[in-house]
Amino acid sequence: MPPLPEILSQLNDDMRANDTWGDVAAYIPELARVDPAQFAIAVTTDDGDVFTAGNADTAFSVQSITKVFTLAIALGRSGDQLWRRVGREPSGRAFNSIVQLEQESGRPRNPFINAGAIVTTDEILTGREPRDTLAEILQFVRAAAGDDNIHINHSVAASETAHGHRNFALAHFLASCGNLNNTPEKALGTYFHHCAIEMSVRQLAMAGRFLIETPKFPRMILPQRIRRLNALMLTCGHYDGSGDFAYRVGLPAKSGVGGGILAIVPGKASIAVWSPGLNRYGNSLKGTQAMASLARAMGWSIF
Ligand code: GLN
């Protein structure tokens, strides 16, 4: 097997050789302006080494990938009580589906679809102000990455606030079912801002280390919880594309509509990939291809 840096460099060339990049998210105007023809990948191994290829230091909007961090915080805060408000089953629906939430009386299927992440955010927000909640989320992400140079892009948050009609519909429906402790505006304001955190693939791969489960990094959450977060990433991390991703890649992972994907090789590595063009599920097109190639080349799979 060629060494990892060579594999990544080859992968970067392969991804750029083909001109089908997918479409950037159009419903958030700030994201619609991003050039889709970009690619970056980073791997942090359990030895603490980081290998990268492509635009590895370009910051991008991590969007739904923050749902992993907010879930870790919410479970740390509320424990199993959280599951009274949100389920743990794959949704088989688009990430912003409204119909399922109504059919299931306002209890979102899982914490990674939008409705579930709004509930998780609301749980962390309860009894506190958005500013303090966002500071805690940022602090968690920065500590995980070992990097204080990670910030929220306020233009992206404002852009989504102005155009996030579906999320407002979801939040108001949750409130009508009694599954929101804060006002929809407050819960969503916090949600949009944590989604607007920006990182490079290098920073994201570093931030993913807390999910590897290895004694070599400082422990941020309980080992049992690491396994459970990984289980949810595998089954729900790519929405209605989760089965396909598990079949093709075989690793727990979480995607974001900014074109990023964070995948975990338990006990071994954390992988971050970014390419802003999306497939029909709203997951990075080239990011998914690259994850599949890397997993195959390295023999990485949880199966
Ligand atoms: N902020 C985005 C939204 O709520 C996140 C969606 C995603 O990344 N899939 O629509």
Side-chain angles (χ1 to χ4, degrees):
M1 193 199 311
L4 184 53
E6 248 174 67
I7 292 177
L8 296 182
S9 157
Q10 183 63 50
L11 200 53
N12 182 43
D13 293 345
D14 293 348
M15 290 300 135
R16 288 166 193 275
N18 168 327
D19 229 18
T20 309
W21 290 92
D23 299 316
V24 291
Y27 71 97
I28 303 175
E30 278 293 306
L31 297 186
R33 299 188 345 196
V34 176
D35 175 8
Q38 300 187 75
F39 178 81
I41 189 160
V43 178
T44 303
T45 65
D46 69 328
D47 300 327
D49 293 327
V50 189
F51 303 100
T52 68
N55 312 100
D57 293 302
T58 305
F60 62 92
S61 195
V62 298
Q63 292 294 323
S64 285
I65 301 171
T66 56
K67 293 173 182 173
V68 179
F69 299 91
T70 49
L71 178 59
I73 295 170
L75 284 171
R77 203 171 138 93
S78 308
D80 284 342
Q81 298 284 346
L82 179 71
W83 303 120
R84 292 183 180 185
R85 302 183 61 189
V86 57
R88 301 191 291 263
E89 294 297 336
S91 65
R93 300 265 185 185
F95 64 88
N96 53 8
S97 169
I98 293 173
V99 64
Q100 191 171 54
L101 191 65
E102 178 167 18
Q103 273 165 354
E104 300 185 357
S105 310
R107 183 171 179 264
R109 273 283 174 105
N110 68 66
F112 292 153
I113 53 173
N114 285 9
I118 294 166
V119 165
T120 306
T121 304
D122 179 69
E123 182 79 15
I124 311 178
L125 189 55
T126 303
R128 288 191 298 174
E129 287 308 312
R131 183 197 310 198
D132 303 321
T133 306
L134 287 167
E136 180 181 357
I137 296 169
L138 253 186
Q139 196 193 341
F140 187 98
V141 173
R142 286 173 177 168
D147 189 338
D148 281 344
N149 193 21
I150 295 173
H151 305 280
I152 292 172
N153 182 324
H154 292 276
S155 311
V156 172
S159 179
E160 195 172 1
T161 307
H163 296 87
H165 305 299
R166 269 184 175 260
N167 282 323
F168 277 101
L170 291 169
H172 279 279
F173 191 80
L174 287 166
S176 80
C177 296
N179 199 4
L180 218 51
N181 298 333
N182 299 277
T183 62
E185 289 69 24
K186 210 166 163 180
L188 277 183
T190 311
Y191 168 78
F192 290 146
H193 279 80
H194 72 65
C195 285
I197 291 175
E198 291 189 334
M199 278 187 258
S200 65
V201 285
R202 186 191 302 276
Q203 291 170 319
L204 182 58
M206 291 293 280
R209 291 175 308 177
F210 83 104
L211 292 166
I212 298 178
E213 201 186 345
T214 161
K216 294 182 188 164
F217 297 130
R219 204 168 86 185
M220 293 188 66
I221 60 173
L222 299 171
Q224 186 194 38
R225 204 156 270 157
I226 294 176
R227 280 178 226 157
R228 289 181 159 166
L229 283 169
N230 274 289
L232 289 168
M233 288 165 76
L234 183 81
T235 51
C236 311
H238 279 68
Y239 321 112
D240 45 343
S242 298
D244 188 55
F245 190 91
Y247 182 85
R248 290 168 66 187
V249 183
L251 296 173
K254 182 73 204 83
S255 70
V257 82
I261 302 175
L262 172 66
I264 304 301
V265 192
K268 292 202 174 84
S270 158
I271 313 166
V273 67
W274 170 61
S275 185
L278 307 176
N279 62 20
R280 67 190 165 101
Y281 304 115
N283 302 317
S284 175
L285 181 75
K286 295 243 190 212
T288 304
Q289 292 168 358
M291 284 287 187
S293 298
L294 178 62
R296 197 165 44 236
M298 296 300 294
W300 282 341
S301 167
I302 61 163
F303 299 106

